[in-house]
Amino acid sequence: MFLFTTVLISGNLIIYSNDCSMRKRTALGFIFLYYSYKLLLSFRILHLFIVIVFLQDIHKILFQYFGYSQFRPLQEEIISSVLNGKDTLALLPTGGGKSLCFHVPGLAMDGLCIVVSPLIALMKDQVERLREKGVSAFSIHSGLSFNEIDVILDRCIYDQVKFLYLAPERLSSDLLIQRVKKMKVNLLAVDEAHCISQWGYDFRPSYLEIAAFRHVIGDSVPVMALTATSTPEVTQDIQDKLEFKKPNVISKSFKRDNLSFSCFKEENKERKILQILKNVPGTAIIYVRNRKKTEALAGFLNKNKISASFYHAGLDYSSRSKNQDLWISNKVRVMVATNAFGMGIDKPDVRTVVHYDFPENPENYYQEAGRAGRDGKRCYAVLLFNDKDIEDLEAKIESNFPSAEIIKRVYQALANFYKLAVGSSQFISFDFDMEAFIKTYKLPKIQSYYALKRLEQEGMIQMNEAYYNPSKIFISTDKTRLYEYQLRNPEDDVFIKSILRIYGGEVFSNYVNIRETEIANYIHKSQMDVTRKLSFLDQKGLLVYEKQKDKPQIEFVMPRMDASVLPLDYKDLAKRKELYKAKVDAMVEYATNSNKCRSLMLLEYFGEKNSEKCGLCDVCLKEKKEEVKDNIEVELSGKIIEKLNGGPISPENLVFSFSSIEKENVLKVLRRLVDSGMLVYLDDGNLSLAKNT
């Protein structure tokens, strides 16, 4: 028996034998080397074949599901990277097509793609779009009941789902962890990956659970992290926190060659907006900070014969959808919105994005401004500000970071508000009325709001103030029992059959969104009658009826704790305050700067140090005008000197001889030539060349 040790180095096979003669070792070595080489070659051919098949598949998938004939820049490289099993960080600017980068490989590979996203509205939007294309997709977030989550996870186990969207807070759920072990996961996609970094502008502690979650689904499953804005520190931190096997960043320059940045110091912003919209035709977004301002400014524009609508998180679902659809279909020109608007909106022809209020950091500003000009045509990003805006923003540094005492007080009040015992209520959602909450416990409004935000960042609660969940039903009984019930209860038979006709057999396998008004119109009853009947059938155990919630929701992600020993990270709170201040300072510097290309400032902030001036921003255009003006003045100076070569001339005659040029401009050049000593005034008042000229 021969004992061989083989070492494969760069495709070469080296063979050692411990128990044979030199001749035997040589002969056996060549034989082993020959067949090993053939085997290695076959593996390489197989790998090449697999890569080619995958590349063919992804182009077919791109066209079949998304209707595109070719990928955008870097998309194919990013997709190929994860198909080869590599952890990949994709840095693509807003509008660069990030979601396609995980949708295509998720469809190309067998199994389930899990997508982690912090934005419920965006999850919902992408799930709906995938379903419209015939792809099975679901999302799990705090708007769902336990029964709904249970059904979705079961479908994932039985390979009936291609994409599962998860809020990051769900990753530590025991229910999810136990179920996901039975799923065939092909890819873990982490959207808004900057949230994992404490150097980022929107750090979420729940994102730190992703690394542990990777080990649960299997270390061989590649992770794709995606973000539109990332500084060099954040880029490195993302890879470290997600435990990349090897560093692997695929990035596109943040530079937008078609986007012109401008900043204007304005006291009358409304008048300036009218001027901008008059000078730049086409669709526009105007970002404001508060909900009331969206409605007021939209009303102002409509009065000035510019069609406008508004969007904010306080609108009900149907109003938001209606207003958004009007704008997308170009029936309304301008959308006035809070920053709740824009994520995942695929509208390429936005010509102008105006920021009425001062953004808190360059990341938010760049992402929101980047929603202009996704079609590659010239577009404009305009920031309006005044001294008060800067004062208010700097004041927010203190108000946005309440003391530990305020945070604990708000947490205790929250527990009292819902009468929660210590250790209870994990993953339980409640309707939340901020005004009633503050009034009941006599809390400071602004500090309380940011205290809740801090509690959310600490991973203790989650607020879903922008989410309005439509009503849902799920027939939880089997078809035989339901049929028997219908035979015994003919008065309910018509109602149940109507539901099945409207919504189909999917109600037996999944929660289905319904509209009570639609059912009422179908059976010629009132909406109240429908609600009562659904509630009655729910009580009978025949179906589950999740009635629409029309209020913001708050959820205890962790079991309710004793407020006096709330585990707050004080060092982290102080560090985050300093980080917030640095970003505010960077934003103020960007807006008030009048000498440096604005595009260059943003690119340098994101780590691109060797870019050229854009030539499009207000600073660059001003510089070009100055250059042209300087050239004209140099040319005029030469012509004046040439005239004075013939002898002294009066200033009046000199000005008159340049009748095609404005008098003030000629006098200005004359003053400069006199100040420089090139021209002198004679005693008779005429101008002459200096003797040394």
mmCIF file of all heavy atoms in Angstrom, residues 49-79:
data_model
loop_
_atom_site.group_PDB
_atom_site.id
_atom_site.type_symbol
_atom_site.label_atom_id
_atom_site.label_comp_id
_atom_site.label_asym_id
_atom_site.label_seq_id
_atom_site.Cartn_x
_atom_site.Cartn_y
_atom_site.Cartn_z
ATOM 1 N N PHE A 49 -17.944 26.220 -17.806
ATOM 2 C CA PHE A 49 -19.276 25.942 -18.346
ATOM 3 C C PHE A 49 -20.353 26.514 -17.426
ATOM 4 O O PHE A 49 -21.297 27.143 -17.880
ATOM 5 C CB PHE A 49 -19.460 24.425 -18.499
ATOM 6 C CG PHE A 49 -20.866 24.028 -18.893
ATOM 7 C CD1 PHE A 49 -21.323 24.215 -20.183
ATOM 8 C CD2 PHE A 49 -21.734 23.482 -17.946
ATOM 9 C CE1 PHE A 49 -22.614 23.857 -20.542
ATOM 10 C CE2 PHE A 49 -23.019 23.120 -18.289
ATOM 11 C CZ PHE A 49 -23.452 23.313 -19.603
ATOM 12 N N ILE A 50 -20.155 26.307 -16.109
ATOM 13 C CA ILE A 50 -21.132 26.816 -15.136
ATOM 14 C C ILE A 50 -21.205 28.330 -15.204
ATOM 15 O O ILE A 50 -22.278 28.919 -15.201
ATOM 16 C CB ILE A 50 -20.762 26.350 -13.709
ATOM 17 C CG1 ILE A 50 -20.976 24.834 -13.582
ATOM 18 C CG2 ILE A 50 -21.587 27.085 -12.658
ATOM 19 C CD1 ILE A 50 -20.421 24.243 -12.310
ATOM 20 N N VAL A 51 -20.032 28.991 -15.285
ATOM 21 C CA VAL A 51 -20.004 30.451 -15.360
ATOM 22 C C VAL A 51 -20.730 30.937 -16.604
ATOM 23 O O VAL A 51 -21.533 31.858 -16.567
ATOM 24 C CB VAL A 51 -18.550 30.970 -15.344
ATOM 25 C CG1 VAL A 51 -18.510 32.452 -15.685
ATOM 26 C CG2 VAL A 51 -17.916 30.725 -13.984
ATOM 27 N N ILE A 52 -20.465 30.267 -17.778
ATOM 28 C CA ILE A 52 -21.113 30.665 -19.027
ATOM 29 C C ILE A 52 -22.624 30.497 -18.931
ATOM 30 O O ILE A 52 -23.392 31.370 -19.329
ATOM 31 C CB ILE A 52 -20.549 29.854 -20.217
ATOM 32 C CG1 ILE A 52 -19.093 30.271 -20.477
ATOM 33 C CG2 ILE A 52 -21.392 30.063 -21.469
ATOM 34 C CD1 ILE A 52 -18.368 29.382 -21.465
ATOM 35 N N VAL A 53 -23.061 29.364 -18.344
ATOM 36 C CA VAL A 53 -24.497 29.116 -18.195
ATOM 37 C C VAL A 53 -25.140 30.180 -17.316
ATOM 38 O O VAL A 53 -26.199 30.714 -17.633
ATOM 39 C CB VAL A 53 -24.746 27.704 -17.615
ATOM 40 C CG1 VAL A 53 -26.198 27.550 -17.201
ATOM 41 C CG2 VAL A 53 -24.384 26.645 -18.646
ATOM 42 N N PHE A 54 -24.449 30.501 -16.199
ATOM 43 C CA PHE A 54 -24.973 31.534 -15.311
ATOM 44 C C PHE A 54 -25.100 32.870 -16.031
ATOM 45 O O PHE A 54 -26.090 33.571 -15.899
ATOM 46 C CB PHE A 54 -24.074 31.708 -14.081
ATOM 47 C CG PHE A 54 -24.522 30.891 -12.896
ATOM 48 C CD1 PHE A 54 -23.615 30.155 -12.149
ATOM 49 C CD2 PHE A 54 -25.850 30.864 -12.527
ATOM 50 C CE1 PHE A 54 -24.029 29.404 -11.059
ATOM 51 C CE2 PHE A 54 -26.281 30.122 -11.436
ATOM 52 C CZ PHE A 54 -25.369 29.386 -10.710
ATOM 53 N N LEU A 55 -24.052 33.219 -16.824
ATOM 54 C CA LEU A 55 -24.091 34.493 -17.545
ATOM 55 C C LEU A 55 -25.224 34.507 -18.549
ATOM 56 O O LEU A 55 -25.885 35.523 -18.740
ATOM 57 C CB LEU A 55 -22.740 34.738 -18.233
ATOM 58 C CG LEU A 55 -21.571 35.074 -17.294
ATOM 59 C CD1 LEU A 55 -20.284 35.223 -18.091
ATOM 60 C CD2 LEU A 55 -21.842 36.348 -16.508
ATOM 61 N N GLN A 56 -25.437 33.368 -19.203
ATOM 62 C CA GLN A 56 -26.569 33.285 -20.129
ATOM 63 C C GLN A 56 -27.887 33.432 -19.373
ATOM 64 O O GLN A 56 -28.787 34.133 -19.799
ATOM 65 C CB GLN A 56 -26.529 31.951 -20.878
ATOM 66 C CG GLN A 56 -25.411 31.855 -21.904
ATOM 67 C CD GLN A 56 -25.323 30.470 -22.519
ATOM 68 O OE1 GLN A 56 -25.828 29.508 -21.963
ATOM 69 N NE2 GLN A 56 -24.680 30.374 -23.671
ATOM 70 N N ASP A 57 -27.963 32.760 -18.212
ATOM 71 C CA ASP A 57 -29.181 32.807 -17.413
ATOM 72 C C ASP A 57 -29.504 34.221 -16.958
ATOM 73 O O ASP A 57 -30.653 34.645 -17.005
ATOM 74 C CB ASP A 57 -29.038 31.899 -16.183
ATOM 75 C CG ASP A 57 -29.339 30.440 -16.516
ATOM 76 O OD1 ASP A 57 -29.834 30.174 -17.623
ATOM 77 O OD2 ASP A 57 -29.076 29.601 -15.655
ATOM 78 N N ILE A 58 -28.486 34.960 -16.489
ATOM 79 C CA ILE A 58 -28.767 36.273 -15.923
ATOM 80 C C ILE A 58 -29.249 37.248 -17.002
ATOM 81 O O ILE A 58 -30.075 38.116 -16.721
ATOM 82 C CB ILE A 58 -27.563 36.855 -15.139
ATOM 83 C CG1 ILE A 58 -26.359 37.103 -16.048
ATOM 84 C CG2 ILE A 58 -27.218 35.952 -13.970
ATOM 85 C CD1 ILE A 58 -25.193 37.767 -15.318
ATOM 86 N N HIS A 59 -28.761 37.102 -18.223
ATOM 87 C CA HIS A 59 -29.268 37.959 -19.293
ATOM 88 C C HIS A 59 -30.701 37.582 -19.670
ATOM 89 O O HIS A 59 -31.528 38.456 -19.949
ATOM 90 C CB HIS A 59 -28.356 37.872 -20.526
ATOM 91 C CG HIS A 59 -27.081 38.639 -20.369
ATOM 92 N ND1 HIS A 59 -25.927 38.075 -19.898
ATOM 93 C CD2 HIS A 59 -26.805 39.951 -20.576
ATOM 94 C CE1 HIS A 59 -24.976 38.985 -19.843
ATOM 95 N NE2 HIS A 59 -25.487 40.140 -20.254
ATOM 96 N N LYS A 60 -30.968 36.292 -19.648
ATOM 97 C CA LYS A 60 -32.325 35.829 -19.929
ATOM 98 C C LYS A 60 -33.290 36.320 -18.838
ATOM 99 O O LYS A 60 -34.398 36.793 -19.126
ATOM 100 C CB LYS A 60 -32.341 34.302 -19.997
ATOM 101 C CG LYS A 60 -33.696 33.710 -20.344
ATOM 102 C CD LYS A 60 -33.611 32.192 -20.416
ATOM 103 C CE LYS A 60 -34.985 31.577 -20.704
ATOM 104 N NZ LYS A 60 -34.922 30.095 -20.727
ATOM 105 N N ILE A 61 -32.850 36.209 -17.575
ATOM 106 C CA ILE A 61 -33.661 36.661 -16.444
ATOM 107 C C ILE A 61 -33.888 38.169 -16.520
ATOM 108 O O ILE A 61 -34.993 38.658 -16.278
ATOM 109 C CB ILE A 61 -32.976 36.288 -15.108
ATOM 110 C CG1 ILE A 61 -33.083 34.772 -14.878
ATOM 111 C CG2 ILE A 61 -33.591 37.043 -13.932
ATOM 112 C CD1 ILE A 61 -32.182 34.251 -13.787
ATOM 113 N N LEU A 62 -32.838 38.907 -16.862
ATOM 114 C CA LEU A 62 -32.935 40.363 -16.958
ATOM 115 C C LEU A 62 -34.033 40.774 -17.930
ATOM 116 O O LEU A 62 -34.825 41.677 -17.642
ATOM 117 C CB LEU A 62 -31.588 40.946 -17.410
ATOM 118 C CG LEU A 62 -31.522 42.465 -17.552
ATOM 119 C CD1 LEU A 62 -31.606 43.141 -16.189
ATOM 120 C CD2 LEU A 62 -30.235 42.884 -18.276
ATOM 121 N N PHE A 63 -34.082 40.094 -19.075
ATOM 122 C CA PHE A 63 -35.080 40.444 -20.089
ATOM 123 C C PHE A 63 -36.463 39.894 -19.726
ATOM 124 O O PHE A 63 -37.470 40.591 -19.834
ATOM 125 C CB PHE A 63 -34.654 39.918 -21.455
ATOM 126 C CG PHE A 63 -35.586 40.334 -22.560
ATOM 127 C CD1 PHE A 63 -35.559 41.624 -23.069
ATOM 128 C CD2 PHE A 63 -36.516 39.443 -23.079
ATOM 129 C CE1 PHE A 63 -36.429 42.020 -24.069
ATOM 130 C CE2 PHE A 63 -37.400 39.823 -24.073
ATOM 131 C CZ PHE A 63 -37.350 41.119 -24.571
ATOM 132 N N GLN A 64 -36.486 38.629 -19.256
ATOM 133 C CA GLN A 64 -37.765 37.958 -18.988
ATOM 134 C C GLN A 64 -38.554 38.637 -17.866
ATOM 135 O O GLN A 64 -39.762 38.840 -17.977
ATOM 136 C CB GLN A 64 -37.516 36.492 -18.623
ATOM 137 C CG GLN A 64 -38.787 35.704 -18.293
ATOM 138 C CD GLN A 64 -38.476 34.263 -17.887
ATOM 139 O OE1 GLN A 64 -37.376 33.762 -18.115
ATOM 140 N NE2 GLN A 64 -39.433 33.599 -17.284
ATOM 141 N N TYR A 65 -37.859 39.000 -16.779
ATOM 142 C CA TYR A 65 -38.562 39.536 -15.612
ATOM 143 C C TYR A 65 -38.571 41.063 -15.549
ATOM 144 O O TYR A 65 -39.488 41.660 -14.990
ATOM 145 C CB TYR A 65 -37.940 38.994 -14.320
ATOM 146 C CG TYR A 65 -38.238 37.531 -14.081
ATOM 147 C CD1 TYR A 65 -37.333 36.551 -14.442
ATOM 148 C CD2 TYR A 65 -39.439 37.137 -13.507
ATOM 149 C CE1 TYR A 65 -37.604 35.204 -14.235
ATOM 150 C CE2 TYR A 65 -39.726 35.798 -13.285
ATOM 151 C CZ TYR A 65 -38.799 34.834 -13.654
ATOM 152 O OH TYR A 65 -39.079 33.510 -13.443
ATOM 153 N N PHE A 66 -37.523 41.691 -16.107
ATOM 154 C CA PHE A 66 -37.394 43.129 -15.922
ATOM 155 C C PHE A 66 -37.458 43.922 -17.227
ATOM 156 O O PHE A 66 -37.493 45.147 -17.203
ATOM 157 C CB PHE A 66 -36.096 43.446 -15.161
ATOM 158 C CG PHE A 66 -35.996 42.705 -13.852
ATOM 159 C CD1 PHE A 66 -35.236 41.543 -13.744
ATOM 160 C CD2 PHE A 66 -36.699 43.146 -12.746
ATOM 161 C CE1 PHE A 66 -35.174 40.847 -12.543
ATOM 162 C CE2 PHE A 66 -36.630 42.455 -11.540
ATOM 163 C CZ PHE A 66 -35.873 41.303 -11.440
ATOM 164 N N GLY A 67 -37.428 43.208 -18.355
ATOM 165 C CA GLY A 67 -37.621 43.855 -19.649
ATOM 166 C C GLY A 67 -36.435 44.628 -20.173
ATOM 167 O O GLY A 67 -36.566 45.414 -21.120
ATOM 168 N N TYR A 68 -35.242 44.417 -19.590
ATOM 169 C CA TYR A 68 -34.048 45.120 -20.062
ATOM 170 C C TYR A 68 -33.203 44.198 -20.931
ATOM 171 O O TYR A 68 -33.066 43.003 -20.655
ATOM 172 C CB TYR A 68 -33.201 45.608 -18.884
ATOM 173 C CG TYR A 68 -33.918 46.549 -17.952
ATOM 174 C CD1 TYR A 68 -34.044 46.259 -16.593
ATOM 175 C CD2 TYR A 68 -34.471 47.735 -18.418
ATOM 176 C CE1 TYR A 68 -34.709 47.116 -15.728
ATOM 177 C CE2 TYR A 68 -35.143 48.609 -17.565
ATOM 178 C CZ TYR A 68 -35.247 48.289 -16.219
ATOM 179 O OH TYR A 68 -35.911 49.145 -15.377
ATOM 180 N N SER A 69 -32.591 44.767 -21.957
ATOM 181 C CA SER A 69 -31.744 43.972 -22.851
ATOM 182 C C SER A 69 -30.295 43.956 -22.396
ATOM 183 O O SER A 69 -29.516 43.093 -22.807
ATOM 184 C CB SER A 69 -31.829 44.520 -24.281
ATOM 185 O OG SER A 69 -31.450 45.888 -24.311
ATOM 186 N N GLN A 70 -29.905 44.906 -21.558
ATOM 187 C CA GLN A 70 -28.536 44.921 -21.053
ATOM 188 C C GLN A 70 -28.484 45.523 -19.647
ATOM 189 O O GLN A 70 -29.378 46.261 -19.239
ATOM 190 C CB GLN A 70 -27.614 45.708 -21.986
ATOM 191 C CG GLN A 70 -28.005 47.162 -22.165
ATOM 192 C CD GLN A 70 -27.121 47.882 -23.166
ATOM 193 O OE1 GLN A 70 -26.393 47.244 -23.930
ATOM 194 N NE2 GLN A 70 -27.168 49.195 -23.166
ATOM 195 N N PHE A 71 -27.405 45.173 -18.940
ATOM 196 C CA PHE A 71 -27.233 45.660 -17.576
ATOM 197 C C PHE A 71 -26.681 47.080 -17.575
ATOM 198 O O PHE A 71 -26.039 47.509 -18.529
ATOM 199 C CB PHE A 71 -26.268 44.759 -16.801
ATOM 200 C CG PHE A 71 -26.840 43.412 -16.444
ATOM 201 C CD1 PHE A 71 -26.524 42.283 -17.192
ATOM 202 C CD2 PHE A 71 -27.685 43.277 -15.356
ATOM 203 C CE1 PHE A 71 -27.052 41.050 -16.864
ATOM 204 C CE2 PHE A 71 -28.221 42.044 -15.020
ATOM 205 C CZ PHE A 71 -27.899 40.921 -15.775
ATOM 206 N N ARG A 72 -26.924 47.784 -16.477
ATOM 207 C CA ARG A 72 -26.288 49.082 -16.274
ATOM 208 C C ARG A 72 -24.841 48.848 -15.840
ATOM 209 O O ARG A 72 -24.476 47.734 -15.441
ATOM 210 C CB ARG A 72 -27.037 49.876 -15.188
ATOM 211 C CG ARG A 72 -28.441 50.307 -15.571
ATOM 212 C CD ARG A 72 -29.070 51.106 -14.446
ATOM 213 N NE ARG A 72 -30.474 51.392 -14.701
ATOM 214 C CZ ARG A 72 -31.269 52.041 -13.862
ATOM 215 N NH1 ARG A 72 -30.789 52.459 -12.701
ATOM 216 N NH2 ARG A 72 -32.532 52.265 -14.166
ATOM 217 N N PRO A 73 -24.015 49.906 -15.873
ATOM 218 C CA PRO A 73 -22.615 49.741 -15.461
ATOM 219 C C PRO A 73 -22.478 49.113 -14.082
ATOM 220 O O PRO A 73 -23.177 49.495 -13.145
ATOM 221 C CB PRO A 73 -22.083 51.187 -15.473
ATOM 222 C CG PRO A 73 -22.926 51.891 -16.486
ATOM 223 C CD PRO A 73 -24.289 51.266 -16.378
ATOM 224 N N LEU A 74 -21.616 48.115 -13.999
ATOM 225 C CA LEU A 74 -21.224 47.380 -12.784
ATOM 226 C C LEU A 74 -22.240 46.346 -12.312
ATOM 227 O O LEU A 74 -21.899 45.478 -11.511
ATOM 228 C CB LEU A 74 -20.908 48.336 -11.619
ATOM 229 C CG LEU A 74 -19.721 49.280 -11.797
ATOM 230 C CD1 LEU A 74 -19.473 50.037 -10.508
ATOM 231 C CD2 LEU A 74 -18.462 48.539 -12.194
ATOM 232 N N GLN A 75 -23.476 46.394 -12.790
ATOM 233 C CA GLN A 75 -24.472 45.427 -12.320
ATOM 234 C C GLN A 75 -24.036 43.993 -12.617
ATOM 235 O O GLN A 75 -24.112 43.119 -11.740
ATOM 236 C CB GLN A 75 -25.834 45.699 -12.959
ATOM 237 C CG GLN A 75 -26.595 46.863 -12.370
ATOM 238 C CD GLN A 75 -27.956 47.056 -13.014
ATOM 239 O OE1 GLN A 75 -28.150 46.756 -14.197
ATOM 240 N NE2 GLN A 75 -28.906 47.568 -12.265
ATOM 241 N N GLU A 76 -23.586 43.734 -13.842
ATOM 242 C CA GLU A 76 -23.203 42.373 -14.209
ATOM 243 C C GLU A 76 -21.996 41.913 -13.412
ATOM 244 O O GLU A 76 -21.911 40.750 -12.995
ATOM 245 C CB GLU A 76 -22.909 42.312 -15.712
ATOM 246 C CG GLU A 76 -22.699 40.889 -16.209
ATOM 247 C CD GLU A 76 -22.702 40.791 -17.737
ATOM 248 O OE1 GLU A 76 -23.094 41.781 -18.399
ATOM 249 O OE2 GLU A 76 -22.324 39.730 -18.248
ATOM 250 N N GLU A 77 -21.041 42.814 -13.161
ATOM 251 C CA GLU A 77 -19.862 42.464 -12.370
ATOM 252 C C GLU A 77 -20.251 42.107 -10.933
ATOM 253 O O GLU A 77 -19.737 41.144 -10.352
ATOM 254 C CB GLU A 77 -18.887 43.648 -12.370
ATOM 255 C CG GLU A 77 -17.584 43.364 -11.650
ATOM 256 C CD GLU A 77 -16.645 44.557 -11.640
ATOM 257 O OE1 GLU A 77 -16.904 45.529 -12.390
ATOM 258 O OE2 GLU A 77 -15.669 44.524 -10.867
ATOM 259 N N ILE A 78 -21.185 42.860 -10.364
ATOM 260 C CA ILE A 78 -21.647 42.600 -8.992
ATOM 261 C C ILE A 78 -22.372 41.254 -8.928
ATOM 262 O O ILE A 78 -22.140 40.441 -8.028
ATOM 263 C CB ILE A 78 -22.578 43.737 -8.525
ATOM 264 C CG1 ILE A 78 -21.787 45.033 -8.373
ATOM 265 C CG2 ILE A 78 -23.268 43.376 -7.210
ATOM 266 C CD1 ILE A 78 -22.657 46.278 -8.284
ATOM 267 N N ILE A 79 -23.240 41.014 -9.903
ATOM 268 C CA ILE A 79 -24.012 39.765 -9.938
ATOM 269 C C ILE A 79 -23.082 38.565 -10.110
ATOM 270 O O ILE A 79 -23.218 37.553 -9.410
ATOM 271 C CB ILE A 79 -25.060 39.824 -11.078
ATOM 272 C CG1 ILE A 79 -26.144 40.855 -10.733
ATOM 273 C CG2 ILE A 79 -25.681 38.457 -11.323
ATOM 274 C CD1 ILE A 79 -27.024 41.235 -11.908
#
